[in-house]
Amino acid sequence: MKTTIKVPVARQIPKELEKHNDVRTDNYFWLNQRDDQNVLDYLSAENDYYNQETAHTKDFEMQLFEEMKARIKEDDTSVPYKYNGYWYIVRYEKGKDYPVYIRKKEHLDAEEELLFDCNEMAKDYGYFKLVGLSVSPDNTMIAFGIDTVGRRQYKLQIKSLITNEIFSDVIENTSGSSTWANDNCTLFYTKKDAQTLRANTIYKHKIGDSENEDVIVFTEDDDTFGVAIYKSKSRKYLIIACYSTLTNEYHILNADTPDDEFRVFQRRIRGLEYSISHFENHFYIVTNKDNATNFKLMKTPENATKIANWVDVLEHRSDVLIEDIDIFRDYLVISERTNGLNQIRIKRWDDTEDYYLPFDNETYTANVGTNVDFDTEILRYAYNSLTNPSSVIDFNMRTKTKDIKKEQEVLDPKFDKNNYTSERIWATAQDGTKIPMSIVRRKDTKTDGNAPLLQYAYGSYGSTIDPYFSTIRLSLLDRGFIYVIAHVRGGEYLGRNWYEDGKLLKKKNTFTDFIDCSKHLIENGYTSPSHLYAMGGSAGGLLMGVIINEAPELYNGVIAAVPFVDVVTTMLDDTIPLTTGEYDEWGNPNNKDYYDYIKSYSPYDNLKKQIYPNLLVTTGLHDSQVQYWEPAKWVSKLRTYKQDTNKLFLVTNMEAGHGGASGRFEALKEDAQEYAFLLDLEGITS
């Protein structure tokens, strides 16, 4: 006899939250106690309810997983890159979930040296992630960070590459990355605040010393800033980066003298953003100085780094965003964005050449890859599009010839990229702004209003979602779905102003842009409300929360992954990871103007008694970016407001954090889960 599990009902324990003489009553505040058994029981009950209600899709979900997995080459190898006399390679082996890191000395046919087999390292853990591999200058040691919870608090360790012994040095609660001085015995690393997880302190560690003997070399006291440390590509300087949403500051030290004091490159000035790269006797600076909204390139002598000494190299252009630079002995490579499209510009230092790599459509992604070798004329970059699998390309900047080192294999005999078509279209927002969308579908999928369509966006932090190829996405496209990336304001797709117009007191542009894109897709026959689906994660999950409050009638189903939905409460709690560093993105609600504005859109505070779309919400118990209780509270409250019988599921991964499951193929199970939810709503069962 089938056991029926009732819809989970979280207890209501009213808690009054007062700010600016405004009182909010939060009935589910108690869910923020991660170790409370009642909380764990509630999350488990939601998981059980989801599993029961979707039991009929489990076989299909497994079919989707196997289908996605089958397209991926299991015994795969990265394109090798050379650094300091060694070729470094990442390999995946058939039937295994985690990478194997190896290197070869000087030549690719040399004997293989095993650095790490993550399959062995991960076997006793439900979650495992290896990050921050950092090899000592003499190639004898490697530092690395490990997270076995998913909370991005990494244990830093050091391994001998001579004996393969892992040293007794163990440093807890780090960012996972570290940087060697040139003496081969001094390692710099970043520790996090144990509660807020803000990266706030740089330490210096000597090989063989205990963690207690490590020396603090820098502490960031401003809780809106984080810190990191790295070495310049020239290998001459150790660089401490202090960063916030709107402001940067750097400190530099000759890597040959790690016991000397760091000196300030240029003290922080609120609103001054800059990044630095060293070349010969100068630093090159990408900055917004002088109201260079889209950034410009400047330089300054390495012994005179204050802002008064900076001079222009590439002037600001209102229609071109400078995203980054890469420095080589004879060439400067500039990553730009024009009208939303990636551009790679190559310029000789002697000014005898200045040209762009040619790209020929509007739905592609091209970016500079791993280029650690300074003394080379080869530029490595990656290219893919919505219809073309990714390629890694070595481009000779002198001869202008290219060598395709690797093309992504799609292990599906039915796959033919010629079966798919892509385009870029523009919707008109409420304020008249044109909003671009990148679209991909099968050529035989009709745009007669009956096709199911998944619309995706992120729209925060100036993070741009470029149109990219996905083997996973084929499971939707081949079943008749259209896939759309909406390049809404809040990203940087159309330059820095595109970001500025989607943050702080203009944040609502992100939400209305998405809704206006949905309306455009419906009006132009791409889909209809009964077949339109939306998806976003993290800050994109906030976007999902707003659109279902404001325009629920447009969507049949919505997936909100690790959604940031309780914006007011979170931004008022400076003990929560990331809060203080987010004030320049969302505004500080301790200021009443920001409080009122945030409250006016925060999904948790604006639920209505109305019909909501079918909804799948996912989270991770150990999420360090968006705490699990935000989606848990949101779903609990939503159950009491929704005036419908549509599906509402909360799925909590009890072993993972913000990035979901670890492992190459375990993560596919979450993709299959999401796709099964969408396809089931469309009545597609195989």
Side-chain angles (χ1 to χ4, degrees):
M1 182 177 175
K2 180 181 176 182
T3 301
T4 301
I5 299 176
K6 293 182 179 179
V7 175
V9 177
R11 289 181 302 154
Q12 296 189 21
I13 305 176
K15 181 177 178 63
E16 291 190 346
L17 304 170
E18 183 175 357
K19 192 71 177 179
H20 305 299
N21 296 317
D22 178 58
V23 178
R24 294 178 300 129
T25 300
D26 188 348
N27 291 324
Y28 304 102
F29 190 86
W30 66 275
L31 284 170
N32 68 0
Q33 301 301 308
R34 192 188 316 272
D35 298 322
D36 186 320
Q37 190 58 48
N38 291 316
V39 173
L40 298 175
D41 288 346
Y42 166 69
L43 297 177
S44 296
E46 287 281 6
N47 283 347
D48 291 343
Y49 174 70
Y50 163 76
N51 287 325
Q52 175 192 268
E53 293 298 302
T54 59
H56 64 287
T57 70
K58 293 305 180 185
D59 288 345
F60 184 31
E61 188 177 314
M62 183 54 65
Q63 176 191 330
L64 288 167
F65 167 72
E66 295 294 345
E67 182 180 291
M68 295 171 181
K69 182 179 177 183
R71 294 193 193 103
I72 299 173
K73 194 173 189 297
E74 290 195 54
D75 52 341
D76 203 3
T77 303
S78 67
V79 179
Y81 70 88
K82 196 174 187 182
Y83 179 71
N84 199 22
Y86 282 83
W87 289 95
Y88 288 88
I89 303 166
V90 182
R91 185 175 67 221
Y92 287 92
E93 298 175 349
K94 192 173 181 62
K96 296 183 178 180
D97 231 355
Y98 291 93
V100 177
Y101 293 88
I102 64 172
R103 71 175 184 175
K104 298 183 177 184
K105 189 172 184 179
E106 292 297 345
H107 304 288
L108 285 171
D109 55 0
E111 184 179 353
E112 178 181 299
E113 297 180 29
L114 175 65
L115 302 177
F116 298 102
D117 183 345
C118 292
N119 299 287
E120 283 297 311
M121 299 169 75
K123 63 184 180 182
D124 295 328
Y125 302 103
Y127 178 94
F128 179 86
K129 190 166 187 178
L130 175 73
V131 300
L133 304 189
S134 178
V135 179
S136 61
D138 64 2
N139 291 310
T140 64
M141 292 172 287
I142 186 168
F144 59 99
I146 290 176
D147 177 12
T148 56
V149 175
R151 200 155 170 78
R152 303 186 186 183
Q153 292 174 284
Y154 295 92
K155 179 170 67 176
L156 190 67
Q157 294 181 270
I158 303 164
K159 177 181 179 180
S160 167
L161 297 177
I162 305 299
T163 66
N164 287 321
E165 166 199 9
I166 294 180
F167 296 170
S168 59
D169 318 54
V170 178
I171 303 166
E172 302 285 351
N173 192 33
T174 78
S175 66
S177 62
S178 59
T179 302
W180 294 90
N182 290 342
D183 64 357
N184 297 295
C185 68
T186 307
L187 186 70
F188 292 83
Y189 63 90
T190 309
K191 290 205 78 167
K192 295 185 170 186
D193 180 278
Q195 183 173 16
T196 67
L197 304 189
R198 179 173 68 94
N200 63 347
T201 311
I202 306 294
Y203 282 82
K204 179 172 61 178
H205 175 78
K206 299 288 186 180
I207 299 301
D209 287 355
S210 69
E211 181 181 350
N212 293 333
E213 297 174 273
D214 291 354
V215 176
I216 295 176
V217 297
F218 183 82
T219 300
E220 179 51 71
D221 295 322
D222 187 331
D223 62 7
T224 67
F225 278 74
V227 294
I229 185 164
Y230 63 97
K231 189 184 288 185
S232 63
K233 186 175 177 178
S234 67
R235 308 182 199 177
K236 182 175 180 178
Y237 285 97
L238 296 162
I239 301 173
I240 294 174
C242 309
Y243 54 88
S244 72
T245 304
L246 295 176
T247 309
N248 299 102
E249 178 181 278
Y250 292 86
H251 301 246
I252 59 175
L253 175 65
N254 191 306
D256 290 334
T257 57
D259 293 326
D260 288 352
E261 297 291 321
F262 281 82
R263 63 182 173 92
V264 179
F265 185 92
Q266 163 58 46
R267 68 173 179 81
R268 66 193 66 176
I269 300 171
R270 180 165 173 78
L272 176 67
E273 298 178 63
Y274 72 97
S275 59
I276 61 176
S277 302
H278 178 253
F279 175 57
E280 293 184 341
N281 58 353
H282 283 83
F283 279 95
Y284 286 77
I285 308 151
V286 177
T287 179
N288 67 347
K289 181 181 180 291
D290 303 323
N291 297 312
T293 306
N294 275 334
F295 295 84
K296 62 179 178 177
L297 181 64
M298 306 185 78
K299 73 174 182 178
T300 194
E302 63 182 348
N303 59 357
T305 60
K306 298 299 183 284
I307 196 168
N309 302 300
W310 299 5
V311 296
D312 284 359
V313 176
L314 296 174
E315 294 182 350
H316 174 253
R317 289 162 290 171
S318 61
D319 60 342
V320 178
L321 173 69
I322 295 180
E323 294 188 316
D324 202 1
I325 63 169
D326 279 87
I327 287 177
F328 299 84
R329 183 191 63 193
D330 296 323
Y331 296 90
L332 170 66
V333 177
I334 308 105
S335 297
E336 301 178 349
R337 186 179 296 274
T338 304
N339 194 31
L341 305 180
N342 301 128
Q343 305 283 348
I344 298 176
R345 181 180 179 184
I346 297 171
K347 178 180 171 63
R348 283 190 65 97
W349 289 112
D350 61 11
D351 289 328
T352 57
E353 282 191 302
D354 187 347
Y355 61 94
Y356 287 85
L357 294 183
F359 303 116
D360 59 1
N361 67 59
E362 291 190 329
T363 58
Y364 71 89
T365 297
N367 46 56
V368 173
T370 302
N371 289 279
V372 294
D373 191 357
F374 169 77
D375 190 11
T376 180
E377 58 189 25
I378 303 298
L379 169 71
R380 176 164 294 172
Y381 72 95
Y383 175 88
N384 70 101
S385 74
L386 286 173
T387 57
N388 285 276
S390 61
S391 298
V392 177
I393 300 165
D394 279 358
F395 179 78
N396 189 302
M397 295 181 280
R398 177 179 55 83
T399 65
K400 300 180 183 177
T401 56
K402 66 181 183 180
D403 178 12
I404 300 175
K405 306 300 292 186
K406 182 178 182 178
E407 292 186 28
Q408 180 183 6
E409 294 185 58
V410 181
L411 301 184
D412 182 346
K414 297 180 295 182
F415 174 74
D416 180 351
K417 65 183 181 182
N418 295 310
N419 289 334
Y420 305 88
T421 184
S422 65
E423 61 181 323
R424 185 169 66 160
I425 65 171
W426 302 73
T428 302
Q430 295 175 12
D431 62 1
T433 303
K434 298 293 185 182
I435 312 299
M437 291 179 276
S438 298
I439 301 178
V440 62
R441 60 182 172 86
R442 282 186 64 96
K443 289 179 178 177
D444 55 7
T445 298
K446 297 178 181 178
T447 53
D448 58 3
N450 295 313
L453 185 150
L454 177 59
Q455 181 182 337
Y456 173 85
Y458 184 69
S460 293
Y461 305 105
S463 179
T464 298
I465 307 299
D466 284 308
Y468 63 97
F469 182 82
S470 167
T471 61
I472 296 167
R473 190 187 301 138
L474 296 174
S475 291
L476 287 183
L477 300 182
D478 288 347
R479 291 177 172 86
F481 264 76
I482 300 171
Y483 184 85
V484 176
I485 301 171
H487 304 291
V488 296
R489 282 174 283 186
E492 227 166 42
Y493 185 79
L494 290 179
R496 181 63 179 217
N497 283 329
W498 204 246
Y499 171 39
E500 299 294 340
D501 284 345
K503 63 186 287 196
L504 297 175
L505 298 176
K506 296 182 179 180
K507 187 63 210 171
K508 290 183 182 179
N509 284 335
T510 303
F511 316 135
T512 55
D513 284 358
F514 191 92
I515 292 169
D516 290 332
C517 285
S518 298
K519 291 177 178 177
H520 183 90
L521 292 166
I522 292 168
E523 291 165 2
N524 287 272
Y526 286 90
T527 190
S528 61
S530 59
H531 297 293
L532 178 56
Y533 303 90
M535 180 176 179
S538 194
L542 161 64
L543 172 58
M544 297 299 102
V546 175
I547 66 164
I548 65 171
N549 281 341
E550 298 302 317
E553 72 282 356
L554 294 180
Y555 309 96
N556 187 39
V558 172
I559 297 174
V562 292
F564 176 39
V565 284
D566 189 13
V567 189
V568 178
T569 307
T570 290
M571 294 305 298
L572 282 171
D573 187 351
D574 60 11
T575 69
I576 295 176
L578 301 183
T579 291
T580 55
E582 304 275 285
Y583 288 156
D584 287 331
E585 180 71 25
W586 311 104
N588 183 347
N590 291 295
N591 175 310
K592 189 174 186 304
D593 288 342
Y594 284 117
Y595 176 89
D596 291 341
Y597 188 77
I598 294 170
K599 185 185 175 187
S600 73
Y601 68 74
S602 176
Y604 188 64
D605 294 289
N606 288 279
L607 289 170
K608 305 170 185 176
K609 289 192 177 298
Q610 63 182 12
I611 294 174
Y612 280 92
N614 296 284
L615 189 63
L616 171 64
V617 183
T618 64
T619 188
L621 181 63
H622 301 290
D623 196 325
S624 61
Q625 313 299 105
V626 177
Q627 307 300 313
Y628 74 88
W629 59 76
E630 289 201 40
K633 289 167 53 178
W634 183 46
V635 168
S636 298
K637 187 175 180 180
L638 185 55
R639 289 200 189 283
T640 69
Y641 275 78
K642 65 196 294 285
Q643 306 292 296
D644 56 74
T645 57
N646 289 333
K647 302 175 189 298
L648 174 57
F649 299 134
L650 172 67
V651 181
T652 304
N653 187 325
M654 306 298 278
E655 294 184 330
H658 197 63
S662 67
R664 191 182 186 201
F665 298 117
E666 281 301 306
L668 291 181
K669 292 180 180 177
E670 296 178 353
D671 295 314
Q673 179 184 75
E674 293 167 352
Y675 281 16
F677 173 76
L678 297 175
L679 292 164
D680 183 48
L681 292 175
E682 280 293 309
I684 299 172
T685 59
S686 65

